[in-house]
Amino acid sequence: MKHKFLVLKFAFSIFFIGMLSCTQDAVVKPNQLTISEGFENPMGFYNSKPTFSWKLPTSKHVKFQSAYQIVVASSEDLLPNNPDIWDSKKQESSQSTFVNYQGSELQSRQKVYWQVKYWNQDNEPSEWSEINHFELGLLKNSDWKAHWVGLDTAKDSIKGVRNFLMHRPQYLRKEFELNNQVESARLYITAKGVFDVHLNGQGVSDDVLPPGWTPYSHRIETLTYNVTNLLESGQNTLAVELASGWHSGRISRGKALYENFASPKILCQLEVTFKDGTKSTIVSDASWKGTTNGPIRLAGLYDGEVYDANLEMPKWKTNAFDDSSWKSVETENIVDSVKLEPKRHETVKTTAVLEDAEIVSATESSVVFDMKQNMVGVPKVQVPMKKGDTLSIRFSEMLLSDGTFYTENYRSAKSTDYYIAAQDGIIEYTPKFTFHGFQFVEISGFDASVSPNSNWIKGLVQHSDFEKNGTFTSSHKKLNQLQSNITWGLRGNLLDIPTDCPQRDERLGWTGDAQVISPTAMFNYDTHAFWTAWLQSMRETQTEHDDGLIPFIVPDVLQRNKASSGWGDACVIIPWDIYNITGDKTVLEANFEMAKKWVGYYQTNTKDYIPNTHSFADWLQPYPEKDGKIGNRGDTPRLFVNTAYFAHSAHLVSKIAGVLGKTDDQKKYNALYKAIAAAFEEKFFDENGKFKNKKQTQTSYLLAIYFDLLKPETKVNAQKHLLEEIKKADNHLGTGFLGTPILPKVLDDMGEIDLMYKILFKETYPSWFYSINQGATTMWERWNSYSKAKGYNPQSMNSLNHYAYGAVGQWMYERIAGLAALEPGYKKLRIAPKPNTDFLTAASASVNTPYGEASSSWKIENGIFYLETVIPPNTTAEVVIPYGKIDNLSVNGRLFEESANLKIENSDAELVKIIANPGTYKFQINYN
Ligand code: RAM
């Protein structure tokens, strides 16, 4: 009996184990569904023709996708079996990213639901994914019934810095009644200016400075908010604070712009659906009321904010307020020429709070706080004050040797906030319609009877609200500091658009700076949508000029009608980089015409393939021959730089045409590139591969080699000359904005990685570590912006938060840690770290690729090299072990043997190259 029982028990356990392994065996459903540039379940979405992406699970049963099916429906109930909008049907394809939607065109406000399943490498189907959804915003101007409204603040004629007109911030409100139970409600809103909107006293969002910055005479972005829970049946109040922002502030300084961009206005449309199915729409129109007598007296992005608490208007955002003394607003019609389109990338938000300020000096009347990090955003101030007193809040990036503020580099930006107290006690204040670039904050005007406390000031860090996308770390403290400085430089300058700097009277969308930094930005932050949004602004800015000119900055508020080589090329280079990093072809499609027109701009200004256009050239190259402003352009001649970029852009246009299957263009632009390259070599290089110029520069060789502009034999000689130049500089940098980002790539291709390590780890000027040795916590505009010995660079153009030189970050990921995309979007990865034990014993990087998390992490201990790597599903990787002792190689604790997942591609005395399937592998090799 007992025996019989045991047998039964055994049989049961076999059954359960079988069941268990059966569920483990299941082909697990896809996850992390997104549309277009990585949006998860967006509302107010901008694109009626989205693409779909998903990720395969990490599982030993799922290596690759062999097919997929996407279903799209107007309601959840119809999925997966009755999709009424689109059914892709089973598609034999490994594509799991950026699959084009092919149903009928989606409409404004439409909400759709979608699901996806895949078949694995063995043609086993997964379960359906969770149901995701998205809802479109108002896609066309004709969707708007509202009018632009606001007060005429131009007529007050308040003049600020350099006599620029300043607009008093406005307070606008509208009371309305809803006679029914609310089912759902959407608030569509935007401004010519920047705004903060409230419903019944509650803030609608935590967005900072919406709607952000676009070329406003072409397009203004609109926001969509779900306000269902903020509405009441009965009386309601919409209340909007409105200030100049980019639209009507002196940042838009081009004369024509400034005269056009008059008083700020808002555009607002609240669409309510009631429980009984009826609808109601409340719009901005002549019935709105406004005042400029509120507490925010003045606000400018460069100059700061003035807040008078005596003018606070209690309850103005609620129904309990009498606005009969307020003025009626002026209205303006929507015009067709200015497109209203849903915002297509993340809004700016407060993404971190620095709470650890330290008091570095205090007098009876003022205190200086150190945030310990050069940052961008606003302070949160909690300070004791006396009624009627004015608190001044000043900022600076660094201090002068006597402890006072270094503000010369803010130039005309006043960057000062003021708060006037209405009563005694602790005030709480956060400026709303400005931002500052700072590490130090000085306050004066507080209640001097209270001794200062370091918690009086906190730093609200603000930038576009993208996610972190990668990490890099190593065994070297200064290299880690460099990584930190790079990421802080990015956070400080990706504030709705990519800017050169965040603190002085500039903060503009400089195209050259953006062009060099975008790959590094994409490694560190998920900026796919950020860049494609800005590229749309670039396209709109170009169309004004028939000749294909791309202005230096986008949006073009300088209006100089000039372009620069190395800057305008951003319109070709950035789409190409985005495509290679994400695999998203739509960015190439969207920008192809712009890129061609830009090459056309060179062509119309060219004689014998040498364009005679303007150039900032190798901007801020160290030790220029000429001093002063001219010296800013370095010693690589303008015509040289023009021709090199003309060739490079033509070459990339040919490659883009190839990807898009446009063979005629591919051939045409390749021939053009070849012709320019021949002319370039002829004009600028002698038969020994030497640059025909008295002054030799590193950058002249770098551009010629990296852009592939020389015949093979000339190239070999040019490489030697480059090495001579670097040697002459004792392994210091001799490069500015254009040469620096390509230096690591060129040396890497030449097999001169150890030399690159020496340059990167150089401590003395000009080098990356030099600024770190002088105390930098962000990237600087110049290699010598400041030194402990000599103080600040005497030029006022001296930003301490300028990301361009951080472009080396890409090489740190790709080569020091060893994680790179070998095929667009990481469909194939290269894991190929190159350790140099003179400097490092470990480095690692991880990146959230379109297929999932990938990582490469190595260390060296006691003559053993360890490499741990994660290869996401649906990709393959080329793993290069940088030591050739294959007999000493082990993987996951066993001596290496080829398997279905790991195949040797090549093995010699130097290295072992393995092709790996998805999975986690721990390699180990004794290289002695
Ligand atoms: C400066 C900007 C920018 C650079 C241009 C040429 O004013 O700060 O970094 O691209 O000049």
Side-chain angles (χ1 to χ4, degrees):
M1 181 74 187
K2 201 177 169 198
H3 180 71
K4 215 173 162 190
F5 178 66
L6 266 181
V7 169
L8 207 67
K9 201 171 156 195
F10 181 62
F12 256 88
S13 358
I14 296 269
F15 176 72
F16 278 120
I17 289 169
M19 287 263 292
L20 257 180
S21 64
C22 196
T23 31
Q24 276 168 0
D25 272 2
V27 181
V28 179
K29 63 190 173 200
N31 56 58
Q32 295 185 51
L33 278 63
T34 53
I35 59 167
S36 296
E37 295 87 10
F39 298 92
E40 214 181 308
N41 298 327
M43 198 191 52
F45 190 57
Y46 79 97
N47 191 347
S48 60
K49 291 183 192 142
T51 59
F52 298 105
S53 305
W54 56 93
K55 288 180 180 146
L56 271 49
T58 308
S59 145
K60 67 176 178 174
H61 300 288
V62 183
K63 295 290 175 200
F64 302 102
Q65 173 185 293
S66 60
Y68 68 82
Q69 183 177 4
I70 300 167
V71 283
V72 185
S74 58
S75 117
E76 278 182 273
D77 306 339
L78 296 173
L79 292 179
N81 296 328
N82 301 300
D84 58 341
I85 295 185
W86 184 52
D87 183 350
S88 74
K89 302 276 164 50
K90 182 176 175 184
Q91 296 293 322
E92 311 276 330
S93 164
S94 71
Q95 189 181 356
S96 58
T97 61
F98 310 109
V99 174
N100 285 321
Y101 165 73
Q102 286 170 54
S104 57
E105 189 157 339
L106 300 171
Q107 305 298 318
S108 296
R109 307 178 183 86
Q110 193 171 349
K111 182 166 184 180
V112 303
Y113 299 83
W114 70 288
Q115 253 181 319
V116 61
K117 73 193 278 193
Y118 66 90
W119 283 257
N120 74 358
Q121 62 285 349
D122 303 319
N123 205 22
E124 294 168 320
S126 74
E127 288 166 29
W128 284 101
S129 70
E130 302 284 322
I131 296 177
N132 273 42
H133 52 83
F134 58 95
E135 180 184 308
L136 294 155
L138 300 186
L139 303 175
K140 306 186 300 296
N141 286 22
S142 58
D143 293 321
W144 290 85
K145 303 286 166 270
H147 286 82
W148 292 104
V149 304
L151 300 174
D152 179 0
T153 47
K155 75 169 178 358
D156 298 343
S157 280
I158 304 168
K159 295 288 168 70
V161 176
R162 292 184 176 160
N163 245 352
F164 272 103
L165 187 67
M166 293 192 84
H167 297 275
R168 277 233 189 277
Q170 310 179 29
Y171 294 78
L172 302 166
R173 72 191 294 280
K174 165 79 186 170
E175 280 183 45
F176 56 94
E177 219 177 304
L178 299 176
N179 296 323
N180 227 324
Q181 293 273 309
V182 176
E183 169 72 24
S184 76
R186 298 287 182 265
L187 177 66
Y188 303 99
I189 184 167
T190 190
K192 294 180 178 179
V194 286
F195 69 90
D196 190 21
V197 57
H198 317 266
L199 241 174
N200 294 327
Q202 296 200 47
V204 164
S205 86
D206 54 0
D207 290 344
V208 172
L209 303 173
W213 197 8
T214 48
Y216 298 119
S217 53
H218 293 274
R219 178 176 52 102
I220 300 181
E221 292 187 315
T222 63
L223 282 304
T224 305
Y225 299 115
N226 179 356
V227 292
T228 312
N229 296 330
L230 297 178
L231 287 172
E232 313 275 342
S233 32
Q235 201 66 12
N236 290 271
T237 299
L238 259 170
V240 186
E241 293 162 273
L242 174 66
S244 299
W246 295 278
H247 181 278
S248 307
R250 73 179 174 104
I251 197 165
S252 293
R253 71 262 271 169
K255 202 159 184 325
L257 284 180
Y258 200 73
E259 279 160 9
N260 291 337
F261 288 165
S263 312
K265 299 224 162 18
I266 60 149
L267 182 74
C268 170
Q269 184 157 311
L270 172 65
E271 299 190 355
V272 187
T273 307
F274 298 105
K275 293 223 153 96
D276 63 4
T278 57
K279 291 180 192 251
S280 175
T281 304
I282 289 90
V283 296
S284 47
D285 59 18
S287 68
W288 284 54
K289 299 299 257 333
T291 184
T292 52
N293 292 326
I296 306 181
R297 305 307 302 143
L298 290 169
L301 297 181
Y302 290 158
D303 301 315
E305 194 172 277
V306 181
Y307 188 95
D308 186 348
N310 295 291
L311 296 176
E312 279 172 2
M313 305 172 291
K315 303 206 168 145
W316 77 276
K317 298 170 192 162
T318 70
N319 303 329
F321 186 79
D322 175 10
D323 62 16
S324 54
S325 67
W326 287 26
K327 291 188 191 134
S328 291
V329 293
E330 316 220 330
T331 64
E332 191 183 285
N333 288 340
I334 290 170
V335 292
D336 284 343
S337 55
V338 180
K339 297 272 168 274
L340 300 166
E341 290 179 12
K343 190 165 183 73
R344 51 176 297 171
H345 71 298
E346 302 82 358
T347 49
V348 175
K349 289 196 193 285
T350 296
T351 60
V353 182
L354 302 188
E355 301 202 327
D356 195 21
E358 191 182 308
I359 293 179
V360 286
S361 67
T363 66
E364 197 143 289
S365 55
S366 70
V367 194
V368 174
F369 299 82
D370 179 359
M371 307 314 297
K372 300 185 193 149
Q373 172 62 54
N374 195 9
M375 58 159 278
V376 176
V378 290
K380 180 173 177 191
V381 183
Q382 286 162 300
V383 185
M385 283 188 75
K386 289 273 191 214
K387 180 177 163 61
D389 285 353
T390 301
L391 188 78
S392 323
I393 313 163
R394 295 175 63 229
F395 302 87
S396 81
E397 293 189 284
M398 268 175 93
L399 301 178
L400 294 166
S401 53
D402 63 0
T404 58
F405 274 24
Y406 170 62
T407 50
E408 205 189 320
N409 70 338
Y410 285 180
R411 300 195 305 211
S412 76
K414 282 191 173 171
S415 199
T416 306
D417 301 320
Y418 298 93
Y419 180 97
I420 301 157
Q423 58 194 41
D424 293 353
I426 296 191
I427 62 105
E428 219 185 281
Y429 170 58
T430 304
K432 189 173 274 191
F433 294 128
T434 187
F435 65 91
H436 309 283
F438 63 100
Q439 176 169 341
F440 294 89
V441 183
E442 181 206 72
I443 57 165
S444 53
F446 54 89
D447 180 350
S449 68
V450 185
S451 57
N453 192 315
S454 62
N455 66 15
W456 283 4
I457 303 286
K458 297 194 169 44
L460 306 191
V461 178
Q462 298 174 331
H463 53 81
S464 290
D465 190 27
F466 36 66
E467 303 268 318
K468 204 165 166 45
N469 200 54
T471 59
F472 172 90
T473 185
S474 76
S475 55
H476 197 283
K477 219 173 141 205
K478 283 185 193 168
L479 190 63
N480 295 346
Q481 184 64 47
L482 177 59
Q483 166 67 11
S484 171
N485 293 5
I486 292 170
T487 51
W488 276 101
L490 290 167
R491 295 176 85 175
N493 283 297
L494 300 178
L495 197 148
D496 206 61
I497 63 149
T499 59
D500 59 331
C501 61
Q503 74 294 70
R504 67 175 175 232
D505 55 355
E506 198 155 0
R507 315 185 195 185
L508 302 173
W510 281 95
T511 47
D513 311 41
Q515 176 263 107
V516 300
I517 202 65
S518 62
T520 300
M522 295 193 66
F523 271 98
N524 286 292
Y525 296 103
D526 182 0
T527 47
H528 186 180
F530 179 89
W531 292 111
T532 51
W534 186 61
L535 285 169
Q536 178 169 352
S537 296
M538 200 182 283
R539 295 196 293 278
E540 289 157 348
T541 308
Q542 183 185 34
T543 49
E544 273 198 12
H545 312 277
D546 294 336
D547 59 3
L549 184 147
I550 300 276
F552 310 147
I553 58 162
V554 173
D556 182 20
V557 290
L558 289 181
Q559 300 189 311
R560 303 240 173 98
N561 201 27
K562 268 192 186 169
S564 165
S565 59
W567 271 249
D569 303 271
C571 75
V572 193
I573 297 172
I574 296 178
W576 182 244
D577 284 336
I578 296 177
Y579 167 66
N580 281 297
I581 293 172
T582 64
D584 178 9
K585 273 190 201 167
T586 63
V587 67
L588 299 183
E589 284 154 7
N591 296 296
F592 186 58
E593 287 304 314
M594 166 165 69
K596 283 204 309 191
K597 274 166 75 184
W598 169 249
V599 172
Y601 169 76
Y602 278 124
Q603 279 174 300
T604 43
N605 292 288
T606 288
K607 195 167 169 267
D608 300 330
Y609 297 108
I610 313 290
N612 187 20
T613 48
H614 169 82
S615 186
F616 293 109
D618 197 21
W619 190 246
L620 303 185
Q621 170 221 299
Y623 299 124
E625 282 219 310
K626 294 188 188 120
D627 281 340
K629 277 205 162 175
I630 307 273
N632 286 343
R633 297 183 185 188
D635 298 316
T636 305
R638 176 176 64 96
L639 295 186
F640 181 105
V641 177
N642 290 350
T643 316
Y645 273 91
F646 177 27
H648 185 51
S649 278
H651 196 188
L652 291 186
V653 167
S654 162
K655 290 185 183 184
I656 294 171
V659 175
L660 298 179
K662 297 176 190 285
T663 18
D664 287 351
D665 276 337
Q666 186 182 4
K667 280 189 207 136
K668 179 174 142 193
Y669 284 94
N670 194 47
L672 176 61
Y673 148 65
K674 291 255 149 90
I676 306 165
F680 173 85
E681 176 167 343
E682 165 78 26
K683 182 162 173 75
F684 298 111
F685 284 82
D686 69 16
E687 59 288 356
N688 300 315
K690 186 146 185 178
F691 175 33
K692 291 194 267 187
N693 199 35
K694 206 169 122 231
K695 171 85 182 172
Q696 298 286 297
T697 63
Q698 294 178 11
T699 295
S700 57
Y701 291 107
L702 290 168
L703 291 175
I705 297 166
Y706 186 62
F707 293 168
D708 213 356
L709 305 179
L710 304 173
K711 289 195 280 294
E713 56 283 13
T714 321
K715 184 172 170 180
V716 174
N717 288 325
Q719 288 174 335
K720 288 184 193 141
H721 294 304
L722 170 65
L723 295 180
E724 276 161 30
E725 285 310 304
I726 295 175
K727 195 166 169 200
K728 269 197 247 159
D730 184 25
N731 297 342
H732 285 98
L733 290 160
T735 50
F737 276 31
L738 297 184
T740 305
I742 60 179
L743 174 79
K745 302 177 188 190
V746 168
L747 292 181
D748 197 323
D749 285 348
M750 286 166 62
E752 292 288 347
I753 289 182
D754 286 338
L755 175 59
M756 186 56 217
Y757 267 101
K758 284 185 193 148
I759 299 172
L760 180 57
F761 282 75
K762 199 85 189 168
E763 303 266 350
T764 43
Y765 171 75
S767 71
W768 279 281
F769 283 5
Y770 181 69
S771 67
I772 290 171
N773 292 337
Q774 315 308 314
T777 60
T778 36
M779 302 308 297
W780 290 348
E781 182 168 22
R782 299 168 182 273
W783 293 119
N784 59 351
S785 284
Y786 167 79
S787 79
K788 286 178 183 162
K790 294 195 196 142
Y792 293 94
N793 189 299
Q795 289 203 47
S796 61
M797 193 190 80
N798 191 33
S799 153
L800 302 177
N801 198 352
H802 229 77
Y803 51 40
Y805 290 144
V808 70
Q810 178 182 6
W811 192 75
M812 288 157 58
Y813 273 85
E814 291 190 342
R815 221 39 167 146
I816 298 183
L819 177 57
L822 203 57
E823 281 176 14
Y826 294 86
K827 185 76 179 124
K828 188 163 184 187
L829 287 79
R830 189 190 68 176
I831 310 278
K834 266 296 201 179
N836 181 321
T837 45
D838 290 347
F839 303 106
L840 288 178
T841 55
S844 50
S846 68
V847 171
N848 185 23
T849 77
Y851 298 92
E853 182 87 2
S855 70
S856 169
S857 176
W858 63 265
K859 65 176 180 187
I860 289 177
E861 266 170 27
N862 307 323
I864 300 178
F865 171 79
Y866 299 85
L867 172 66
E868 185 168 341
T869 168
V870 176
I871 299 160
N874 211 18
T875 68
T876 49
E878 180 183 290
V879 181
V880 185
I881 310 289
Y883 302 97
K885 305 242 173 177
I886 190 163
D887 295 343
N888 296 352
L889 180 65
S890 67
V891 61
N892 298 341
R894 290 157 165 241
L895 212 56
F896 182 85
E897 263 177 49
E898 278 199 306
S899 64
N901 288 327
L902 297 170
K903 295 250 181 312
I904 302 259
E905 192 180 65
N906 178 15
S907 150
D908 58 28
E910 304 284 306
L911 53 81
V912 183
K913 198 186 270 184
I914 297 161
I915 301 297
N917 278 349
T920 299
Y921 303 100
K922 292 180 184 178
F923 297 97
Q924 184 174 327
I925 191 165
N926 185 333
Y927 59 83
N928 284 317

